[in-house]
Amino acid sequence: MSGDKNEVGTTFQRSLGLRWISGEGGKTLTVAMDILPEHCGPAGSLEGGIVSTLVDVAGASACAMALKSPLVATQHVSLSFLAPGRVGPVEATTEVVRIGRTDAVAEVRVVDRGSEDRLMAIGLVTVRNFGNKPKAS
C-alpha cells in the first residue's frame, strides 16, 4: 500500500493511526483506530468523514485480500451512521460477502469499543479488481 515495504497503508491512513488486524482464520479483517481530539467535530464525536474512510479502507482491504489482488479501487460505498463514536478505540470489522471475477463486496460493522461496543455504523463496500488484469501488448 505504500512505497516502503515495512509500512502498511497510505500516508493518510497512517496519519489517522489505522491498524490492520486479521481474524477468524483470515475470514475477517478489522481496521482499528484510536479517537484523538483532532478527529472529532464540534459535538465531540468522531467526524463522519473519518468513519467513512475507516469503512472504505476496511472493506477495500478485505476485498483485496479475498481477490488476492495488489490493486483494487472502490466503486461504491453505502453507509448508515447509527451512533456517535466518542471513546474509542473504534474498530471496523469486515466480512467479504461476494467475490466476482472483476469485483467484490464487503460488509463492514463499526463499533466503539470504549462505549460498551456500541454499533456506530454499518456499510457495504464494492471494489473493482485492477491487479490481476493481463498487461496490454
Side-chain angles (χ1 to χ4, degrees):
M1 283 194 211
S2 76
D4 184 341
K5 299 282 185 200
N6 295 322
E7 294 181 331
V8 176
T10 65
T11 301
F12 173 65
Q13 293 163 356
R14 287 191 306 275
S15 76
L16 293 174
L18 300 186
R19 303 178 298 276
W20 284 257
I21 306 159
S22 262
E24 294 185 35
K27 289 187 178 185
T28 64
L29 175 73
T30 298
V31 179
M33 68 176 291
D34 296 320
I35 297 177
L36 302 176
E38 57 266 28
H39 299 153
C40 297
S45 60
L46 189 61
E47 289 275 5
I50 292 178
V51 176
S52 298
T53 297
L54 190 59
V55 168
D56 182 23
V57 170
S61 295
C63 287
M65 289 172 54
L67 289 162
K68 296 180 176 61
S69 175
L71 183 62
V72 298
T74 302
Q75 286 183 310
H76 182 76
V77 175
S78 173
L79 178 58
S80 294
F81 295 96
L82 306 173
R86 296 192 185 279
V87 181
V90 172
E91 294 183 355
T93 300
T94 304
E95 182 176 352
V96 176
V97 295
R98 179 188 182 281
I99 300 172
R101 288 181 326 197
T102 60
D103 63 0
V105 179
E107 179 184 70
V108 183
R109 298 173 65 84
V110 183
V111 298
D112 184 344
R113 291 288 180 217
S115 291
E116 300 176 355
D117 294 341
R118 175 186 290 160
L119 184 61
M120 295 171 46
I122 297 177
L124 283 176
V125 178
T126 304
V127 301
R128 181 165 174 114
N129 181 8
F130 289 102
N132 295 329
K133 288 190 171 186
K135 293 182 181 180
S137 46

